[in-house]
């Protein structure tokens, strides 16, 4: 009986080899899609990295926009200050029209 027991307690190398091969094959099949997805993810992250706006650049853009707004506001204020109100412009044009009419009448009366 002791020989029978010794035979049974020996490791089954063939079964262990088959199980190890099966486990390695399954592990490899599971690892390949994960590796492909990881490489795709790395490519996506690097593509995003090239499009990211850094904090320094964002602060620079904000300062540039504020400067542009200030320059635009100053230009608009200058234009508004240089404008003549419509009523005043109408009065000046009416006065000039009357003056031209008087000069024409004087010239016509002097020519007769």
């Amino acid at each position: 009986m002791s020989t029978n027991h010794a035979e049974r307690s020996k490791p089954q190398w063939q079964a262990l080899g088959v199980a190890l091969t099966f486990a390695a094959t399954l592990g490899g099949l599971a690892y390949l899609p994960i590796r492909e997805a990881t490489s795709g993810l790395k490519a996506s992250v690097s593509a995003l990295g090239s499009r990211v706006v850094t904090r320094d650049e964002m602060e620079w853009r904000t300062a540039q926009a504020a400067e542009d707004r200030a320059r635009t506001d100053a230009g608009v204020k200058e234009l508004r200050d240089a404008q003549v109100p419509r009523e005043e412009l109408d009065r000046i044009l009416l006065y000039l029209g009357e003056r031209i009419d008087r000069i024409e009448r004087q010239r016509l009366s002097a020519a007769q």
Side-chain angles (χ1 to χ4, degrees):
M1 194 162 145
S2 68
T3 57
N4 195 7
H5 179 64
E7 289 285 325
R8 277 191 268 176
S9 64
K10 273 183 163 180
Q12 300 292 324
W13 292 112
Q14 292 174 345
L16 287 174
V18 169
L20 182 63
T21 303
F22 184 70
T25 303
L26 282 179
L29 289 175
Y31 174 71
L32 288 176
I34 293 171
R35 188 178 69 182
E36 295 293 324
T38 304
S39 65
L41 184 62
K42 285 180 183 177
S44 298
V45 168
S46 67
L48 279 176
S50 66
R51 292 188 220 153
V52 170
V53 177
T54 63
R55 178 175 294 225
D56 293 336
E57 185 177 354
M58 193 62 179
E59 289 173 358
W60 178 82
R61 286 182 182 186
T62 304
Q64 197 70 24
E67 184 180 316
D68 289 344
R69 267 192 309 278
R71 198 174 323 118
T72 301
D73 290 346
V76 168
K77 184 180 181 326
E78 185 179 313
L79 286 174
R80 284 185 179 158
D81 292 344
Q83 280 183 337
V84 176
R86 183 69 187 183
E87 293 88 22
E88 184 180 346
L89 183 62
D90 286 342
R91 260 184 309 180
I92 292 171
L93 291 177
L94 182 64
Y95 169 74
L96 288 175
E98 290 173 355
R99 189 169 172 197
I100 290 172
D101 287 343
R102 262 187 310 201
I103 293 172
E104 284 293 319
R105 274 189 252 128
Q106 286 175 357
R107 204 173 60 161
L108 286 175
S109 63
Q112 290 178 350

